[in-house]
Amino acid sequence: MTTIEEKFKKLGTDNAPGQEIRQRADGQDAAGTGDVIPGTPVDFSHGDVNESAFAPTPGSLDAFVDGFEQGGAQAYTEYRGQAAIRERVAKHLAGFTGAPVSAENQLIITPGTQGALFLAIGATVVPGDKVAIVTPDYFANRKLVEFIGAEVVPIPMNHLQSQDKAGIDLDKLEAAFKQGIKTFLFSNPNNPAGVIYSKQEIDAIASLANRYGITVIVDQLYSRLLYPGRDYTHLRAAGIDPKQVVTIMGPSKTESLSGFRLGVAFGAEHLLDRMEKLQAIVSLRAPGYCQAVLNTWFNEPAGWMADRIRKHQAIRDDLLSLLRDVPGLEVRAPEAGSYIFPRLPKLRIDLTQFTRALRLQAGVTVTPGTEFSKDATDSIRLNFSQNHAAAADAIRRTIQIIERNRAG
């Protein structure tokens, strides 16, 4: 039987953005020796929302203030969120995803997409269940499923060896469904690799879910920040039974609105009913005044999103150029979002020691790949939504740490 200590240990927050363990650099540590490399500290564990990098959506502060000035009517909304805001959001999401969304019955505003994920898992998974989860994928999927007391069934995604698709192993996914699995979780675009599932992969997932009666929770947080060259297929518009899918989105990294803690989940009515009941006892509602910021979502100034994508693509391409010059390092260009997930060359130190050396000796914070897959012991995740020059310089320092610790 799992003890309460073991249950909470699985949630580990040591590598969460802003929660990295701060240790003093004493000149010699478990990561080896080396002089500190000068340069501006860069935290690749999350995006930079300062004016020098990617500031929040224009008008977001005004929208928040407007919500504040509405007083109690906005502070104490319905548990699912303020009705007029839900109505506007539902129309935008229906147009964006290609399938209708009922503001009344099929949508809930949540405290961030993390809150949406917790509610969706809580509405579908009970202790003892088996839940299929792609590896690598967003770290909270595994942690929340295990916290509830369910068993994770990993579905490998070989993104480095794939082209024009994410690389999910559909045969293993179907085999897992045949085992009696009831729920499948995945992100598209994938977090941490930034790859997009092909239409063929999404169609296959929809078909398998229908055939075996599987509930699918899909995180589409980065589906607005798409780079040229790849099409995007929304699962809910790919023929899946609408009673079997919940989609999670929100104004977050793409819009630099993470600080407002807003997310939405939309889909199967019976699951949204459960999610509302759970939210009512966990947080009551998403932050009332912050909900008003959703009025800026899908309503940015003309050309704003295209400009944001162009700037992210320029940073992405420069960082990839630097990383691809490192012998033995493997990396695939992300097709969406702001994450790069390189596989490091063989080092003489382990991943924990490397990320510590990187922070102490180079002033660069990254998220270890083991957060996203227990097998990713040689990978790191980089959020490149940063000041362009600072990010490139940080990658140069990262390469220096790699070379200092290269095996042999």
Side-chain angles (χ1 to χ4, degrees):
M1 181 179 294
T2 302
T3 67
I4 192 70
E5 289 83 5
E6 291 170 336
K7 186 176 182 179
F8 276 87
K9 186 177 182 181
K10 290 180 178 180
L11 293 180
T13 58
D14 289 350
N15 294 302
Q19 299 294 327
E20 64 276 359
I21 299 174
R22 298 295 181 180
Q23 297 172 312
R24 291 180 58 190
D26 57 6
Q28 177 147 4
D29 54 61
T33 60
D35 295 333
V36 174
I37 306 170
T40 302
V42 171
D43 188 345
F44 282 120
S45 71
H46 56 80
D48 185 343
V49 298
N50 294 313
E51 290 291 339
S52 63
F54 292 99
T57 305
S60 55
L61 178 58
D62 292 336
F64 172 76
V65 172
D66 181 64
F68 176 83
E69 291 178 344
Q70 291 182 43
Q74 189 60 52
Y76 299 103
T77 70
E78 303 96 312
Y79 292 145
R80 292 192 184 213
Q82 206 261 4
I85 295 174
R86 293 203 325 270
E87 191 68 40
R88 283 192 289 272
V89 169
K91 289 179 180 177
H92 287 306
L93 291 174
F96 181 68
T97 63
V101 180
S102 166
E104 182 179 359
N105 301 316
Q106 296 179 322
L107 186 145
I108 186 170
I109 302 171
T110 62
T113 53
Q114 192 91 347
L117 181 63
F118 172 77
L119 297 179
I121 293 174
T124 56
V125 179
V126 298
D129 277 358
K130 292 183 178 181
V131 181
I133 294 179
V134 171
T135 57
D137 210 322
Y138 185 51
F139 60 83
N141 294 352
R142 168 181 54 82
K143 292 182 178 183
L144 288 175
V145 166
E146 292 178 342
F147 180 79
I148 286 174
E151 178 185 343
V152 171
V153 178
I155 308 299
M157 182 191 76
N158 193 349
H159 66 286
L160 285 174
Q161 303 303 317
S162 301
Q163 291 184 349
D164 300 324
K165 61 180 182 178
I168 184 174
D169 190 326
L170 292 169
D171 290 336
K172 289 193 175 180
L173 183 64
E174 181 170 15
F177 287 178
K178 288 179 178 178
Q179 295 175 15
I181 283 171
K182 299 177 182 177
T183 308
F184 172 47
L185 278 72
F186 76 108
S187 60
N188 183 32
N190 173 266
N191 179 359
V195 296
I196 296 173
Y197 284 71
S198 68
K199 183 180 187 304
Q200 290 72 26
E201 288 173 314
I202 293 297
D203 287 347
I205 290 169
S207 176
L208 290 171
N210 289 343
R211 187 184 311 165
Y212 294 99
I214 306 299
T215 295
V216 183
I217 302 170
V218 56
D219 174 357
Q220 296 190 176
L221 181 58
Y222 299 98
S223 56
R224 297 188 74 200
L225 208 167
L226 305 176
Y227 302 116
R230 283 294 303 278
D231 294 327
Y232 186 93
T233 302
H234 294 275
L235 177 64
R236 64 190 309 267
I240 191 171
D241 186 334
K243 298 185 181 66
Q244 294 175 209
V245 62
V246 171
T247 303
I248 294 171
M249 287 185 61
S252 184
K253 306 295 190 301
T254 297
E255 302 83 359
S256 300
L257 295 176
S258 302
F260 288 103
R261 305 312 307 147
L262 291 167
V264 296
F266 50 106
E269 292 184 22
H270 71 290
L271 296 179
L272 268 291
D273 286 342
R274 295 177 192 171
M275 293 169 70
E276 179 184 19
K277 291 181 174 66
L278 185 54
Q279 177 149 289
I281 63 169
V282 171
S283 63
L284 295 177
R285 58 185 61 80
Y289 302 144
C290 292
Q291 289 181 36
V293 176
L294 283 168
N295 290 325
T296 70
W297 195 33
F298 286 93
N299 195 32
E300 299 86 4
W304 182 89
M305 182 60 72
D307 181 65
R308 177 145 294 200
I309 291 172
R310 179 183 58 77
K311 290 177 179 176
H312 275 82
Q313 185 174 1
I315 300 170
R316 179 200 70 169
D317 292 348
D318 279 358
L319 301 194
L320 286 172
S321 178
L322 292 168
L323 290 168
R324 284 171 171 161
D325 281 341
V326 179
L329 186 146
E330 297 179 77
V331 64
R332 176 174 168 181
E335 297 148 352
S338 57
Y339 294 123
I340 296 177
F341 195 56
R343 179 181 293 168
L344 303 172
K346 188 169 181 59
L347 305 176
R348 59 181 176 80
I349 57 176
D350 64 26
L351 188 60
T352 299
Q353 293 173 319
F354 174 77
T355 57
R356 184 167 183 258
L358 195 56
R359 187 178 70 251
L360 298 179
Q361 297 171 18
V364 178
T365 300
V366 301
T367 306
T370 45
E371 286 291 291
F372 310 96
S373 171
K374 66 178 182 180
D375 298 322
T377 57
D378 52 2
S379 298
I380 56 174
R381 191 192 71 173
L382 308 166
N383 185 321
F384 59 88
S385 190
Q386 310 285 338
N387 174 278
H388 192 152
D393 189 54
I395 292 299
R396 294 185 184 97
R397 301 200 303 275
T398 298
I399 292 170
Q400 287 183 259
I401 299 300
I402 290 173
E403 296 305 336
R404 281 182 181 181
N405 295 283
R406 185 182 288 276

